[in-house]
Amino acid sequence: KQEVTQIPAALSVPEGENLVLNCSFTDSAIYNLQWFRQDPGKGLTSLLLIQSSQREQTSGRLNASLDKSSGRSTLYIAASQPGDSATYLCALLPNAGGTSYGKLTFGQGTILTVHP
Amino acid sequence: SQTIHQWPATLVQPVGSPLSLECTVEGTSNPNLYWYRQAAGRGLQLLFYSVGIGQISSEVPQNLSASRPQDRQFILSSKKLLLSDSGFYLCAWRTQGAIFGYTFGSGTRLTVV
C-alpha cells in the first residue's frame, strides 16, 4: 500500500526566503506525481505535474523534483512571498500495469506561512 | 478550455435530511470523474470514481452514493445525512488514459447539524 509523507507539517518563514517542501513515498511504481496548493476553505490548485520518466518540472518560482529510486519529491519555492501562504499537498498516481482509474494517494500536506 | 463547476459552495443540513451535490465539467469529453472528501485532520479520501456514464465505483462503504447521468455530470447524494458526513467535498476530473493530471473543483463545505 502506497504511503505518502510530507515534511515538515508546518513551516513559517520570512518573506524572501527560499524554501523546500519534502514528500516521500513507499512505492516507486508511480504513474506521475502532482503538487497542489490549497488555500483555506478552497479547492486544490495544481502547481506542477511530474511524469514518472521525468526528473523535474519548473513553473515560475516553483521547481519540483522527483527521485523514484529514493522515493522522494521536493518542491522548491524561490523568493517566497506572503501570497505563497497555503497548504501544499503532494499526490501520487499509481502505475497499475500501465492503466489506472486514477486514485490519487495524498500526503497530509505542509502548511506554509510566509510573513512580511 | 476545460473548467469544472461544483455547487453549492457551502451547505448546512440537519441530520436525516437528503443531500445532492453536483459537479459538471466543460471543455472535455469522457473524463474520469471523482468525488473526494477532506475531513479535518484526516487528509483527502477518495469516495467514488466514474470512468463513464452510469459507471460508478465506491472506494469506501458509507452513507453516500454517486451517479453519473451524463458524460460530464457527477452527483453525490445521500438519503439521510449523518453527523459524520460533515466535511469538505471535492469533485475532480482527469482525462482518461492521458498523461495529464487532476483538476479539482472549488469544493462544497457540508456541515450536518
Side-chain angles (χ1 to χ4, degrees), chain B residues 9-68:
Chain B
T10 59
L11 194 58
V12 180
Q13 292 283 99
V15 169
S17 64
L19 173 74
S20 179
L21 303 181
E22 189 163 344
C23 172
T24 59
V25 181
E26 296 179 357
T28 187
S29 60
N30 199 29
N32 283 356
L33 296 172
Y34 308 86
W35 279 110
Y36 281 82
R37 178 170 58 200
Q38 189 175 35
R42 295 187 61 185
L44 279 142
Q45 180 185 38
L46 178 64
L47 302 177
F48 299 95
Y49 67 92
S50 171
V51 297
I53 296 174
Q55 301 179 58
I56 307 296
S57 296
S58 174
E59 279 292 300
V60 293
Q62 56 203 309
N63 184 44
L64 302 168
S65 62
S67 62
R68 184 171 177 175

Side-chain angles (χ1 to χ4, degrees), chain A:
Chain A
K1 177 185 175 184
Q2 178 74 274
E3 294 183 3
V4 182
T5 304
Q6 289 188 245
I7 295 173
L11 183 63
S12 180
V13 300
E15 181 177 7
E17 275 203 7
N18 302 325
L19 55 98
V20 175
L21 308 182
N22 296 290
C23 173
S24 61
F25 48 94
T26 56
D27 187 349
S28 62
I30 64 172
Y31 193 68
N32 61 39
L33 183 148
Q34 200 165 356
W35 281 94
F36 293 92
R37 167 187 173 139
Q38 185 175 29
D39 293 290
K42 305 295 183 182
L44 276 64
T45 300
S46 180
L47 298 174
L48 290 165
L49 171 69
I50 309 178
Q51 300 298 329
S52 63
S53 59
Q54 297 175 326
R55 298 284 298 199
E56 66 177 345
Q57 283 288 325
T58 298
S59 175
R61 295 183 293 109
L62 306 179
N63 175 277
S65 66
L66 174 63
D67 184 345
K68 288 198 303 178
S69 62
S70 65
R72 296 180 62 182
S73 176
T74 60
L75 179 66
Y76 175 82
I77 302 176
S80 59
Q81 304 170 359
D84 295 329
S85 299
T87 298
Y88 290 80
L89 296 155
C90 71
L92 280 72
L93 192 65
N95 184 7
T99 62
S100 171
Y101 63 79
K103 176 182 177 181
L104 285 175
T105 301
F106 282 89
Q108 291 293 322
T110 294
I111 302 171
L112 173 65
T113 303
V114 181
H115 47 88

